[in-house]
Amino acid sequence: MDTEDGGGRSLTFKILMGMAAGVVAGMILNAVGVESAVPDFLVGGVFHVGGSIFLASLKLLVVPLVFVSLVLGTAALDDITKLGRVGGKTLALYLTTTAIAISLALLAATIFVPGSGFDLQTDVTFTAKEAPPLSQVFIDLFPSNPVAAMASGNMLQIIVFAGLFGLAMTLAGEPGKRLIKLFEDLDAVIMRLVMVLMSAAPYGVFCLLAKVFATQGFEAVAPLIRYFVLVLAVLFLHALITYPTLLRLLSGLNPIRFLQNMRDPILVAFSTASSNATLPVTLETAEHKLGVDNSIASFTVPLGATINMDGTAIMQGVATGFIAQAYGIELGPTDYLMVVVTATLASIGTAGVPGVGLVMLAMVLRQVNLPVEGIGLILGVDRLLDMVRTAVNVTGDAMVTCVVAKSEGHFSREVFNGVAADD
Ligand code: ASP
C-alpha cells in the first residue's frame, strides 16, 4: 500500500499529512470554541460525516474479508494437525504478551505512584461481579447461526465457522477444489477493495483527528499528567522494547524493518482507535509487507484483533494502580495477581472497538473491589490514550503473527525485507 501515485507521494506520507493537518485544524477549532457556528458546522457536520464514512468503509470489509481469507487459509493447510499447533502457539503468545504488558503497567504504577495526592474517600462497598462460567465461554465459540454471527460481527464465531468450512472444503475433493478457486478470486477482489478504500485514508484520518482534537479539551490532561505520561511511557516501552526483543529472540527477524513495514496499520489504528476497523489494513500488511502466508495471517490477525489487546491491558494496569492510590486503598499481592488474570481474560471476547478498554477496566476494578466510579477520574484523557494503545494492540497482533508464521515455515523473508514484491 506504499505505492506511489501520480503525485509521486506514497500513501503513508499522505496519511501522515492528513493526520498532521487534522491535529492542527482540530486544535485551532478547539481554541476558537466548537460551539460557534462555523466550527460547529465543520466538527459536527463535515468532519463527523467524513470520519464516519471512512470508518464504516473500513468496517464493511471486516466480515467478508475475515471469512473469505480464513476459509482459504484453512483449506490451504496441507496438514490438519497444523491447525491445532498454530492455534496453540498463537493463543500462548497472545496471553503471554498481554500478561507481560499488564505486569509492566502494574510495576510502573507501583514505582511512580501516579494517584498520590488525590486523597478521595469512598464508603461504598462493591461486590465482585460473577465471572461467566468457562463452559459458557466455550459454548459461545460455536455459532448456532453463522449468518447471525456475521450480522452481529461476532469475530470468534466467524473464525470457528470459517475454519470448519475451510476444513470441509479440503475434505470434499473436487467440489472443494472448485470452491477454492472461487474463494481465491473473491479474496483478490476484496483485497483490491481494501486498497481502493485506503486511497481515501488521508482524508478520512484528517476528519477523524480534526474532530477528536477539536472536541478534546486539553484542560483534562493537566491534573492527570502523571497518569497520562505513565501510560504513554509503558505503551512505548512495550512497543519499542518488549515486542522487538521477543521478535528477535523468537524469530530472528529485524525489529526495525518490522516496525517500518507496520507503518500503515499503526497510523490507521491511531486515527480510528479501533483494532477491528484496522483489521483489513493489518491483514493486507501481514501478507504483502511482512511476508506472512495467508494460511497463518488469516487466522492470527482476526483472532488478535479480538483477543489480544496489550495496549489496553497497559492502560488497565496503570489505571487500577492509579485509582487504588487515589482512593488510598492498598492492593495486596493476590490483588495484583487477580488484576493480571482478569485483565488478560477480559480481553478475550471483548472486541477491539473504541473505548472498550474502559468496559474491561470496570470488570477488573470490580474483581479487586475498587470503586468503579474511579473510572470517571481518567475519562477525560481516555480518548487520546485509546488511539495510542490501539496502535500498540495492532502491532502486538502483527508481531505474534510473524513469530508463528516464521516458526511454521509459512514466511517469506524476501517480502519482509522488501526485496520481492509478491503482488
Ligand atoms: N480501542 C482499542 C482497540 O480497538 C480497545 C480499547 O482499548 O478500548 O484495540
Side-chain angles (χ1 to χ4, degrees), residues 273-276 309 312 352-358 386 389-390 393:
S274 167
S275 305
N276 259 13
M309 297 186 207
T312 307
V353 292
V356 76
L358 292 181
D386 196 1
R389 69 185 185 241
T390 307
N393 290 347

Side-chain angles (χ1 to χ4, degrees), residues 256-339:
I256 304 206
R257 183 90 223 169
F258 167 79
L259 288 172
Q260 279 171 348
N261 288 344
M262 279 297 290
R263 282 183 304 234
D264 288 340
I266 288 176
L267 295 181
V268 174
F270 179 82
S271 312
T272 59
S274 167
S275 305
N276 259 13
T278 314
L279 209 157
V281 190
T282 320
L283 198 54
E284 206 268 348
T285 300
E287 292 179 16
H288 299 139
K289 289 240 190 91
L290 297 174
V292 176
D293 195 77
N294 169 266
S295 60
I296 304 291
S298 64
F299 171 69
T300 55
V301 173
L303 190 67
T306 314
I307 73 165
N308 186 47
M309 297 186 207
D310 296 357
T312 307
I314 286 170
M315 175 280 281
Q316 291 175 39
V318 179
T320 307
F322 174 81
I323 290 169
Q325 291 154 7
Y327 283 95
I329 300 169
E330 282 279 322
L331 292 180
T334 15
D335 293 320
Y336 281 116
L337 193 66
M338 203 57 152
V339 174

Side-chain angles (χ1 to χ4, degrees), residues 118 220-229 322 377-381:
F118 275 81
V221 178
L224 290 169
I225 192 76
R226 269 193 295 161
Y227 166 77
F228 187 77
V229 172
F322 174 81
L377 291 176
I378 55 166
L379 218 52
V381 293

